Amino acid sequence: MLIRSEGVSNMTCEENDIWKDDLFDRKADATFLLGLLINRRHLSTYSRDSAFVLNVDADWGAGKTFFLKRFHQNLEKLKFLSCYINTWEDDFADDPLVPIISSIDKVIKPHIGRKLGVKNAWVKAKQAGATLAVDLFAATAKRAFSSITGAATEEIIDSARDRFNEGSTQMPTENNIRDAERATTNMVGKSIDAYAEKLVKSFEQKKKSVSVFRENIELTIDCVYKKTALDDRPLFVLIDELDRCRPDYAIRTLERIKHLFSVKNVVFVIATNNDQLRHSVCAVYGENFDSLHYLSRFFTSVYYFDEPELHDFVDGIFYRFSKTVKDSLYSPIDNASEFIATGCEYYRLSLRQCERLMLIIEVIAISRGRENPPIELGYLVPLVALFVLGSRLQDSDLVARAFQRKGQWEIPSRLGRINVAVLAEEISREIHAGIIGVEDSKSSGENIEWLKGAIGREQQFYARSGVSGNFHSAMHGYPALVRKAGRVTSGQNH
């Protein structure tokens, strides 16, 4: 059914509150995708007899988790059945079917007793699902047992020989040994025959359980919505962090969705970094396995987020900095995030390089604590940018020369405008030459004003802390700090 505009495109005040921290305009993605998913039956590539599985593919930092959580909240506000599952938190489970059913159960329970038929259908679906989950556990146990007993067959026979020797005063003959081996072989053969019969019966039972599961999942959702024939409102299952799970668990999750949820009124939205997910597939099936084609089997459609605009990307990371970190940073302009973003633009950093630059700044701020003067971003940002681009910041002359680039990176000052890269070059030379006060500086004009302010802030900090005497500027230690912080990596990327 076509959802009227007030249900999808016109966001209410409450829905706008849901998206209030939306730095990358993911609300627009949500509005667009909701329209597609509600009217999915008109898509020519979609088989109406199966679940619609949408893969949202984006790199780390593009807002996948933010999108899924807010999309989930928005769906709830619009009275859709929706559950959010963080598979990375659940991958301790043997079977991903269990946390999926558990999450759906929380959504269905409020409707039991209020709507006719919901309870009976859902109980049957859960029972069939539980049977399938138990079958997987039993199969795993049997495989483990058979691998153990298979490997130990020779040891069993050897043990039988030893026991014969211990219980007899006579030496065993070759006939005795052959008789024992034949008896053991016959016993194992009968066990295999019986197990094969059980496998056939188990397979038929599983097929029946899958059918019961699908039928009753579909019936449960129809009963909750009290559907008409043209009503396509689905149950939404939003799956996050699949690319961070154990590789075997990630693959099993996709397999479970494909084989068990071939139900027309269920929609899965799975947010992943598919480059990382393909690594997980290859970890299980081998380096040369065609992981791209393999993954395409599971997804009805793939949606790619736009790459965030650089300033929005930097602002999104800066937004997550703690207040302690933000308070320790001194920016030459009022908006520290904007200053950092203009530096990233000047040095033409990629988004991944910007991400690393932000992490290094954050790590430095945290490691210094409150016992040090504020961090001068006017000098630190150029240093970190050069480090991210490959400079080791080992020699002051090399550092100074590295600041020389074509173009302008200017910020306003009381005396006009300052070229930050030129300023950083001069500061690099003077800081490493060991200046203590402004009177030692060879800078002039706008640059001396900036340096005066920076060293003045350091002196004020030391005075408030009750520390007296002459000190080299704290900026002297910035290159070493950058090198150390640069050895810290984000676990998100590994």
Side-chain angles (χ1 to χ4, degrees), residues 111 170 213 368:
H111 300 277
Q170 298 178 351
F213 179 76
R368 280 164 53 90

Side-chain angles (χ1 to χ4, degrees), residues 137-148:
F137 176 78
T140 303
K142 286 174 183 174
R143 282 196 299 270
F145 178 75
S146 63
S147 66
I148 293 170

Side-chain angles (χ1 to χ4, degrees), residues 184-239:
T184 303
T185 302
N186 289 337
M187 181 180 66
V188 172
K190 289 178 181 179
S191 298
I192 291 174
D193 290 341
Y195 180 59
E197 184 65 27
K198 286 183 180 180
L199 279 179
V200 173
K201 290 181 180 178
S202 175
F203 175 74
E204 294 301 327
Q205 182 59 46
K206 285 178 186 178
K207 285 181 66 176
K208 183 179 178 180
S209 295
V210 169
S211 179
V212 171
F213 179 76
R214 290 173 180 168
E215 289 172 5
N216 285 281
I217 281 278
E218 185 173 329
L219 181 57
T220 299
I221 297 166
D222 285 349
C223 289
V224 170
Y225 282 130
K226 296 182 180 178
K227 284 188 171 186
T228 62
L230 295 178
D231 191 343
D232 271 348
R233 282 178 296 170
L235 161 69
F236 288 89
V237 182
L238 313 182
I239 294 185

